[in-house]
Amino acid sequence: MDREIEEFITYLHNIKKTSANTEISYRRDLKKMAEFLKARGINEAAQVKDLELQGYICYMERENFASSTISRSVASIRAFFQFLVKKDIISEDPSENLKPPKVEKKAPEILTVEEVDQLLKQPDLSTPKGIRDAAMLELLYATGMRVSEMLHLQISDVNLQYGYVVCQENNKERIIPIGLPCKKAMERYLGEARESFVKDENETALFINCSGKVMSRQGFWKVLKGYASDAGIKRDITPHTLRHSFAVHMLQNGADIRSVQEMLGHSDISTTQIYLGANMNKMRDVYMKSHPRH
């Protein structure tokens, strides 16, 4: 089954233009399924029946895999077998009746505006590293972009004259405006600090680490953890926390959900709507204070 899995990953990459992270997830999910089936004497995709796949899902539930992990695996398995049917590698889809467990959507972890302010004050602006870190933090909170998107930015993607950045990933492009604090932080980084990190004069990546390489996700995670600790934020925040905070704070201050959806790059508005839940408490307070018949 390994050959079919690799054919499927190639199809995702070449035809669907999926991201590297998506392909890694699909491959991992399908390899685990294949290992489970192989241990039960099933080596070919054509041998797989509905009952074996149901057994695999039951196994994951018995082993206490998270519901979100099982749901993602079900999605990977169904996409894989649909591909095999489409390519006439198998005649029937054994995953047709496979159902994911219900996943309770939790409200995302967000920072208060005050916590964000404290976080953004932490970098030491007397050093190139502090100037760079301030620019990264300001940019993430100003745009709500994913960390991977920020780290893929090139210098040419930033237009400080008109105050926007061009975010490009998976052959999709969106333009996100930035506010004055972010613009100033970016100007200072590009004008005073970036050059001290660059080892190769042909390097076009926007954010560079101390080794002269493109800043990595792990590198940024360490930067964020350090400043969160310095700011006295006790919660276990992640780089995605700034994205969540951006979305909720925008909605709390009157942004319409369609605009937030566009800035976040969500293809489906239902993904953006999860932030409305985090916004409900403020809406309820406003209602109780303002409605004459509350």
Side-chain angles (χ1 to χ4, degrees), residues 95-121:
S95 70
E96 191 174 3
N97 297 316
L98 209 58
K99 296 287 191 293
K102 288 187 177 179
V103 180
E104 182 182 345
K105 284 192 174 181
K106 296 180 181 178
E109 184 75 40
I110 63 165
L111 300 176
T112 64
V113 173
E114 293 73 23
E115 285 174 325
V116 172
D117 285 340
Q118 281 301 311
L119 180 68
L120 297 180
K121 288 176 183 175

Side-chain angles (χ1 to χ4, degrees), residues 4 10 24 33 39 48 79 95 114 116 152 161 195 207 213 219 226-227 239 253 256 262 270 277 287 289 294:
E4 286 94 343
T10 300
I24 289 168
M33 174 202 69
V48 181
S95 70
E114 293 73 23
V116 172
H152 283 147
Q161 181 180 356
E195 191 175 312
F207 291 114
K213 305 291 185 183
Y227 290 132
N253 284 286
D256 67 276
E262 190 172 336
S270 64
Y287 179 89
K289 290 175 183 175
H294 66 270

Side-chain angles (χ1 to χ4, degrees), residues 20 99 114 117 119 123 134 171 215 246 250 275 285 290 293:
K99 296 287 191 293
E114 293 73 23
D117 285 340
L119 180 68
N171 295 322
M215 173 68 68
F246 160 85
M250 288 287 286
Y275 296 112
D285 290 342
S290 307
R293 293 176 65 83

Side-chain angles (χ1 to χ4, degrees), residues 127-230:
T127 68
K129 181 181 180 300
I131 294 171
R132 180 203 63 192
D133 296 348
M136 289 193 296
L137 293 173
E138 288 280 4
L139 184 61
L140 268 192
Y141 181 59
T143 63
M145 66 173 57
R146 300 172 183 88
V147 176
S148 59
E149 292 172 333
M150 180 185 75
L151 299 179
H152 283 147
L153 288 176
Q154 305 295 300
I155 295 176
S156 59
D157 293 325
V158 180
N159 189 318
L160 295 178
Q161 181 180 356
Y162 292 101
Y164 67 82
V165 294
V166 180
C167 185
Q168 303 184 57
E169 193 168 61
N170 302 337
N171 295 322
K172 294 178 182 177
E173 178 180 289
R174 67 186 191 276
I175 295 174
I176 313 173
I178 58 175
L180 188 59
C182 178
K183 182 180 175 182
K184 287 182 175 179
M186 293 294 292
E187 285 174 342
R188 187 165 185 180
Y189 167 63
L190 288 170
E192 301 176 26
R194 183 180 178 276
E195 191 175 312
S196 64
F197 295 101
V198 174
K199 302 272 194 297
D200 179 357
E201 61 180 18
N202 295 316
E203 180 60 72
T204 59
L206 181 60
F207 291 114
I208 310 296
N209 65 21
C210 295
S211 301
K213 305 291 185 183
V214 178
M215 173 68 68
S216 67
R217 289 171 64 93
Q218 294 82 357
F220 178 77
W221 189 298
K222 288 179 183 176
V223 167
L224 178 63
K225 291 281 187 183
Y227 290 132
S229 176
D230 294 343

